[in-house]
Each structure stands twice: as structure tokens, then as C-alpha cells.
Amino acid sequence: MSAPTSSRPHLMEQSHDDGSAAAIRIFFTFIAIWEALYHLARLATNTCLARSPEKILDSTLFNAKEHDNNNKMNNGNMARAKQTSPLENAKQTLRRRGPSYLVSLIHSVCVTCRGIMHLYNLWHGNTADKLLVQRKGMPGSYRWAHLQVTTTNTMFVAYLTY
């Protein structure tokens, strides 16, 4: 007895012309891209903080350094404890969190622009064309637009996974 065949495609089979393997490759490619962007953002943040922190950080932090030194001299116990200035705290926080925020900004801009493009491409299709991914080779279908949507979805899921 043979196993019954399913008329449903495999997972993500319709999401890319090359099937599920292509979708998984694209998924891991996007994860690698987010990781590379994170390292570039970290390098850029450290470079900017080293060269000109006054252009990135709030100017009140530079004045707070003098105020912090006066407080340390007035409180003998506080002078013995290891403390950092608000400027150094801000630099450390920016080094630690800044790259993640920068990658999130880049991701949101890319996904938003692609989403607007998808709205434009699918605007004139009827409801069935907007909801159904047609099989390869169907004339007059919006398959190319759906493939772009699935690429954007894969980009988004890769970012969430990253």
C-alpha cells in the first residue's frame, strides 16, 4: 500500500521559486547580515566616541563632570568608592546598547520601505490575488509580488531570531 499523497506543498515550498531550501538559505543569510551590521555599528559607535563624543552625547554631560568632581571632594566616603562620571556612564551605555539600536533602526527602515513597495505592487489586484500565492507559471498572477512579500517576512523573522 502506498502512502497517500498530499495536495498541499511542503513548508515554505511556495514562498520561493527554489522551494524550502532557498527560503532557509535566505533566512540564514539575513541572520548573517544582521550580525555583520551589528559589528559595523559597534565599530562606528566606538570610532565616533573616540573621535568626537561631543557630537554624539549631550553637552550637559561634559559640564556634569566638573559638578561630579566637586561632590566627590565634599563627601569623603564617596571619594573612596570607585565612581564614574555621568559622561563615562553615557559612553559605556552607548557602547553597550547603541549598536543594537542602530541595527533596529536600519531594520525598521528597510522593512517599512519594502512594505510600502508591497502595498503599491498589490494595490490593483483583487482579493484572491492578494491572499493566494499562485503556482509558478500561472499567467497574470501576482506571484512575483508575493515572492517579494515572503522575502520581507523572512527578513523580519530572521531579525526576530537574531
Side-chain angles (χ1 to χ4, degrees), residues 16 26 30 34 106-122 144-156:
H16 294 83
I26 290 172
F30 280 126
W34 297 131
I106 292 168
H107 171 263
S108 63
V109 168
C110 289
V111 170
T112 301
C113 290
R114 287 183 65 94
I116 291 168
M117 181 185 71
H118 303 324
L119 283 173
Y120 176 78
N121 290 336
L122 291 169
W144 58 272
H146 287 288
L147 294 178
Q148 293 298 314
V149 171
T150 56
T151 300
T152 302
N153 291 344
T154 305
M155 180 189 297
F156 179 71

Side-chain angles (χ1 to χ4, degrees), residues 14-143:
Q14 290 284 58
S15 66
H16 294 83
D17 280 335
D18 296 336
S20 298
I24 292 169
R25 272 194 312 271
I26 290 172
F27 174 75
F28 285 117
T29 300
F30 280 126
I31 288 178
I33 289 171
W34 297 131
E35 181 67 22
L37 277 174
Y38 176 82
H39 289 291
L40 286 173
R42 187 178 65 186
L43 179 67
T45 302
N46 288 336
T47 302
C48 290
L49 282 174
R51 289 187 180 170
S52 55
E54 66 279 353
K55 292 183 180 178
I56 299 173
L57 300 172
D58 188 20
S59 62
T60 58
L61 292 171
F62 295 98
N63 298 332
K65 187 176 183 182
E66 294 173 11
H67 177 71
D68 190 46
N69 287 339
N70 291 338
N71 284 341
K72 284 183 184 178
M73 290 175 22
N74 292 337
N75 299 328
N77 292 336
M78 289 180 70
R80 291 185 200 116
K82 182 180 178 184
Q83 291 190 354
T84 58
S85 69
L87 177 63
E88 289 304 313
N89 285 339
K91 284 182 179 180
Q92 289 174 2
T93 301
L94 188 59
R95 279 188 186 104
R96 200 172 44 248
R97 297 182 182 162
S100 294
Y101 285 114
L102 189 55
V103 170
S104 296
L105 175 69
I106 292 168
H107 171 263
S108 63
V109 168
C110 289
V111 170
T112 301
C113 290
R114 287 183 65 94
I116 291 168
M117 181 185 71
H118 303 324
L119 283 173
Y120 176 78
N121 290 336
L122 291 169
W123 188 262
H124 295 291
N126 62 31
T127 304
D129 286 336
K130 290 177 184 178
L131 297 176
L132 179 66
V133 180
Q134 300 289 333
R135 292 211 178 268
K136 192 173 181 179
M138 297 282 295
S141 74
Y142 284 87
R143 180 171 173 76

